[in-house]
Amino acid sequence: MSGAKAPDLLHAVNVLPDLTGIDRTFTYLIPNEVAVTTGMIVRINLANRRVRAWIVDDHVDIPEGVTCKPIEGVVSLALDVDRIALAKFAGWRYAGRIRPFLLAGSPERIVRERDLPDPRSLVGTLSEELDQTDPVGIATRDLMASGGGVLQLPPTAQRLSVVRSALEMLERGDQQGKDLLVLVPERRDVETLARRLRRLGVRCATLPEDFGSAFVGGVVVIGTRNAVFGPVGSLGAIVVLDAQSESYVDQRAPTWNATVIAQERARLAGAICILTSPAPPLAITAESRVRQLERPYERAHWPALEVLDRRSDDPRSGLYSPMLGEIVHLALERDDRPVACILNRTGRLRLLACRSCGEVARCEHCDGAMRQLEGAGSEVSPVLTCSRCAKTRPLICTFCHSGQLKVLRVGATRAAEELSALLGLPTKLVTGDRESTDRAQQDEIDARVIVGTEAILHRQSSASLVVFLDFDQHLFAPRFGAAEESLSILALAGRLVGPRGSHSVGAFARRLVVQTRLPEHEVVVAAREGDPSKINATELVRRRELNLPPSSAIALISGEEAAAFIELLAGDPSIEVGLFDDVPNTPKRQGSIRYLVRAMSTRLLCEALSAREGFGAGLRIEVDPSSI
DNA sequence: CGGACAAGCTGA
DNA sequence: CAGCTTGTCCGG
């Protein structure tokens, strides 16, 4: 391939060292006999240290007044010109360093040119014919033919059809020989999709392990968030499945979103990008065309949903509607599958008050709410713990010293105990905490009622019922995206119970059960009717009124140098700055202040945030924060 | 990041 | 004033 290239004279490149604390490039020389390309990892000598570095610019001029050293050698294949450009874009878009993005696109172990497998063609790899009348396939082909966009795909529809149809479109016409990149939210989805495609005769490379074959191409490349920076032989299209998933957002700074990066990668490569989602959030639909399926098809592929209106229930019945016991018993009797009960609060008791004086149990030091955590092992923890500063004290009212406290709000651990008593059956607790899950599984391996946080929806593949014990907690979450997230959770839960009406005559009707005091909330209605578009119009108006995304672009600024940076930004006319909150004493950081920065558009916001250069680790910028 | 070098604190 | 800590700068 490179044999025909004109012999370069000794030339210079810019490299970015693989060191956490360095956010700038250096110029190095490439000896004549060494062949390099942009994106490769080389070894350099920097300040008498041998470090790895990525070539980020090739054939650059040597800056005046510096003497450049030659590189010490080539280490590994990693990125390429396009993905280096993508990493630079990500650094701009998320106001952060580009090293994390270069790492995301690099192999875990060294990959040399000679290690690469032989390139093969994808042509003719689909052994089974696609059903050309499948509505999902038709919609996918439409989108592929018209340049991509968002596919509003109901939760129980076949996501595999999207991938197969996209692949089929790449195998014909002028796209022939181009490769497909598929992003999925979780690791287990990577395995599942690769297995299914391989069964159909499609060659797959999963990232990060199959770096070499993905690099060469002729395979469908499948991976999670980081794979958006991964190698793809010759990119023709990107499919992002369940694009609304929070798994695509990195929790650590910079808090980037793989969906956004996927769209830019496709744009840079002249490839097509298709995002699928059962309930596409405004962040996605505001900028893209949305392809919906025929209403009857969409409706039929949402789950059945039963609302338990809690408005007239006795408040003393706690989390459980009077009908709940009966509903669960019937499900267990008529269906082999487990019943899943969702309560998104961990711990045992989340909010307590004194039985005699009514005072809410609060921390003497920081005023935070005191709660009872799950004890070590199975015994009950004898103390209250502050949810903010983690200080502990005995279960006594500090106001009147009474030892009698009443529970205002329970956590999943207590709910599991209570449900067990209510139903007269063992229950299994599942939370995001690995340890407690393992323990519960050992203790009560045959429990058919599973109680826990949203984590259940990711661990369990099927259920006869998914009960949302306190759905209002989702609807009222203190985030502007709460409505969209609530609907997405219902969609996710729908995959466990299957589409409405799928049961044979006389069999149990698997369904979602939603306990709420807002039975006519637009989210509940949208899910019940399988029509996610229902929430978009009202949501868009609300966002516009509050000047929240997508009507504006926002970022949160925190850290020791935040105040200085905000002062600098205040001079920018395209930017609006304000105090966001005072985070009270957390165990780690004492009273850190966060500022909210707002601009009319993402471009204006990112341009303004570019002023961060010169600031170091004392500045934390979170672009597109979800937690406000 | 981590080495180099400068400026500040300590002690007999 | 050596011997040590702490801070700031900079690398091609």
Side-chain angles (χ1 to χ4, degrees):
Chain A
M1 280 292 161
S2 56
K5 209 166 65 179
D8 282 328
L9 293 174
L10 193 76
H11 74 282
V13 296
N14 283 341
V15 302
L16 187 103
D18 183 14
L19 295 171
T20 336
I22 295 185
D23 189 27
R24 52 165 295 211
T25 62
F26 298 86
T27 309
Y28 278 81
L29 300 172
I30 306 293
N32 279 340
E33 67 278 11
V34 180
V36 295
T37 53
T38 306
M40 269 185 174
I41 297 173
V42 293
R43 187 169 302 283
I44 57 165
N45 183 317
L46 180 74
N48 280 323
R49 278 198 295 162
R50 304 181 77 220
V51 295
R52 289 180 179 191
W54 289 273
I55 297 180
V56 293
D57 298 294
D58 205 349
H59 298 281
V60 298
D61 296 330
I62 296 170
E64 254 177 76
V66 275
T67 46
C68 297
K69 296 177 193 168
I71 64 166
E72 295 199 337
V74 173
V75 175
S76 177
L77 292 174
L79 294 103
D80 51 59
V81 188
D82 288 353
R83 289 184 291 139
I84 290 288
L86 190 66
K88 288 176 180 172
F89 165 80
W92 172 82
R93 178 65 176 74
Y94 292 104
R97 299 179 172 176
I98 73 167
R99 195 180 85 111
F101 307 120
L102 298 178
L103 278 173
S106 301
E108 292 178 310
R109 285 183 299 273
I110 291 171
V111 176
R112 283 176 235 271
E113 200 104 32
R114 60 168 187 271
D115 304 332
L116 294 177
D118 289 336
R120 275 182 271 177
S121 171
L122 250 189
V123 178
T125 48
L126 274 180
S127 60
E128 250 173 80
E129 271 301 304
L130 262 176
D131 171 11
Q132 298 297 319
T133 62
D134 168 36
V136 177
I138 293 169
T140 305
R141 288 192 292 274
D142 275 2
L143 275 175
M144 287 288 286
S146 58
V150 180
L151 177 59
Q152 186 170 301
L153 188 69
T156 68
Q158 274 300 322
R159 282 164 292 171
L160 186 64
S161 301
V162 178
V163 178
R164 291 186 63 185
S165 303
L167 200 51
E168 192 194 54
M169 290 294 277
L170 286 182
E171 287 180 357
R172 61 190 196 202
D174 54 357
Q175 293 274 35
Q176 209 164 41
K178 294 278 190 174
D179 297 319
L180 177 65
L181 170 64
V182 184
L183 300 185
V184 292
E186 288 171 41
R187 183 62 219 184
R188 77 183 52 183
D189 301 323
V190 175
E191 318 294 351
T192 310
L193 181 59
R195 198 179 332 113
R196 288 185 182 164
L197 285 172
R198 282 174 182 144
R199 211 178 290 147
L200 292 166
V202 179
R203 293 172 10 97
C204 299
T206 63
L207 289 177
E209 54 282 346
D210 301 334
F211 189 95
S213 24
F215 193 95
V216 170
V219 289
V220 174
V221 181
I222 307 167
T224 53
R225 182 173 64 217
N226 276 354
V228 77
F229 290 102
V232 180
S234 168
L235 188 69
I238 306 176
V239 169
V240 183
L241 295 178
D242 288 318
Q244 84 292 342
S245 174
E246 287 176 33
S247 305
Y248 290 121
V249 181
D250 197 337
Q251 304 295 312
R252 304 177 312 248
T255 52
W256 57 284
N257 185 332
T259 299
V260 173
I261 305 298
Q263 287 171 299
E264 179 66 10
R265 182 165 184 184
R267 204 187 61 78
L268 287 172
I272 290 161
C273 186
I274 293 182
L275 310 176
T276 82
S277 173
L282 289 172
I284 295 175
T285 60
E287 289 165 28
S288 303
R289 224 156 25 90
V290 182
R291 174 71 155 80
Q292 290 175 239
L293 299 171
E294 296 286 329
R295 272 301 299 142
Y297 184 93
E298 184 174 41
R299 189 184 130 77
H301 287 80
W302 274 78
L305 187 148
E306 179 179 11
V307 177
L308 297 183
D309 182 355
R310 306 237 42 218
R311 282 175 299 183
S312 51
D313 288 350
D314 185 338
R316 281 172 297 182
S317 62
L319 271 180
Y320 320 99
S321 154
M323 300 151 78
L324 190 62
E326 202 181 319
I327 292 172
V328 172
H329 273 298
L330 192 67
L332 293 171
E333 199 177 296
R334 306 269 294 275
D335 196 289
D336 294 337
R337 281 164 278 240
V339 169
C341 299
I342 312 290
L343 182 66
N344 252 7
R345 293 189 292 259
T346 53
R348 182 168 275 113
L349 311 180
R350 291 301 299 255
L351 190 62
L352 301 107
C354 176
R355 202 171 278 286
S356 46
C357 72
E359 199 73 7
V360 170
R362 279 183 297 190
C363 176
E364 301 132 89
H365 304 94
C366 75
D367 236 22
M370 300 299 284
R371 64 192 191 192
Q372 185 188 33
L373 299 177
E374 202 185 337
S378 54
E379 76 269 20
V380 172
S381 170
V383 292
L384 294 175
T385 306
C386 175
S387 48
R388 277 189 197 157
C389 69
K391 288 205 169 68
T392 59
R393 66 172 163 86
L395 278 147
I396 290 171
C397 175
T398 42
F399 211 67
C400 71
H401 305 291
S402 160
Q404 295 288 304
L405 297 176
K406 64 181 174 188
V407 180
L408 296 183
R409 199 167 290 156
V410 309
T413 308
R414 173 65 171 261
E417 294 162 0
E418 288 177 353
L419 267 170
S420 199
L422 187 78
L423 301 167
L425 292 167
T427 57
K428 181 166 99 178
L429 179 69
V430 174
T431 63
D433 175 12
R434 263 268 133 235
E435 212 183 323
S436 75
T437 308
D438 292 346
R439 192 171 61 235
Q441 276 166 351
Q442 278 165 13
D443 286 352
E444 303 167 65
I445 199 90
D446 55 351
R448 292 184 57 212
V449 178
I450 305 164
V451 184
T453 60
E454 252 174 85
I456 293 178
L457 303 179
H458 301 280
R459 305 256 172 89
Q460 205 68 27
S461 60
S462 70
S464 56
L465 296 176
V466 178
V467 182
F468 288 86
L469 293 173
D470 184 4
F471 194 63
D472 299 346
Q473 175 207 358
H474 296 267
L475 294 174
F476 288 133
R479 271 164 280 155
F480 70 81
E484 291 174 335
E485 287 169 25
S486 304
L487 187 53
S488 293
I489 288 166
L490 292 178
L492 202 59
R495 296 209 175 122
L496 272 61
V497 301
R500 79 180 78 222
S502 63
H503 55 283
S504 51
V505 178
F508 180 76
R510 292 160 69 196
R511 60 190 184 273
L512 306 182
V513 176
V514 173
Q515 297 200 120
T516 178
R517 292 178 156 273
L518 297 151
E520 293 307 318
H521 191 287
E522 67 213 33
V523 168
V524 178
V525 173
R528 195 173 55 207
E529 301 187 1
D531 190 1
S533 312
K534 276 217 151 79
I535 72 165
N536 285 7
T538 33
E539 192 63 21
L540 195 57
V541 171
R542 191 175 311 155
R543 303 277 182 88
R544 207 172 281 148
E545 280 168 357
L546 297 170
N547 200 13
L548 285 166
S551 290
S552 67
I554 56 176
L556 284 179
I557 315 289
S558 59
E560 279 169 23
E561 293 184 72
F565 182 62
I566 288 295
E567 204 168 313
L568 186 70
L569 281 185
D572 191 323
S574 63
I575 290 287
E576 184 190 308
V577 297
L579 194 64
F580 177 60
D581 64 2
D582 252 310
V583 183
N585 298 333
T586 54
K588 279 183 191 157
R589 224 183 299 170
Q590 295 272 314
S592 76
I593 298 167
R594 290 195 291 178
Y595 299 87
L596 183 69
V597 173
R598 194 195 311 259
M600 291 283 283
S601 70
T602 298
R603 198 184 57 78
L604 289 172
L605 179 71
C606 296
E607 289 304 331
L609 293 177
S610 301
R612 75 184 179 86
E613 279 173 45
F615 288 83
L619 183 65
R620 189 187 139 92
I621 304 176
E622 204 183 326
V623 180
D624 302 345
S626 59
S627 60
I628 81 159

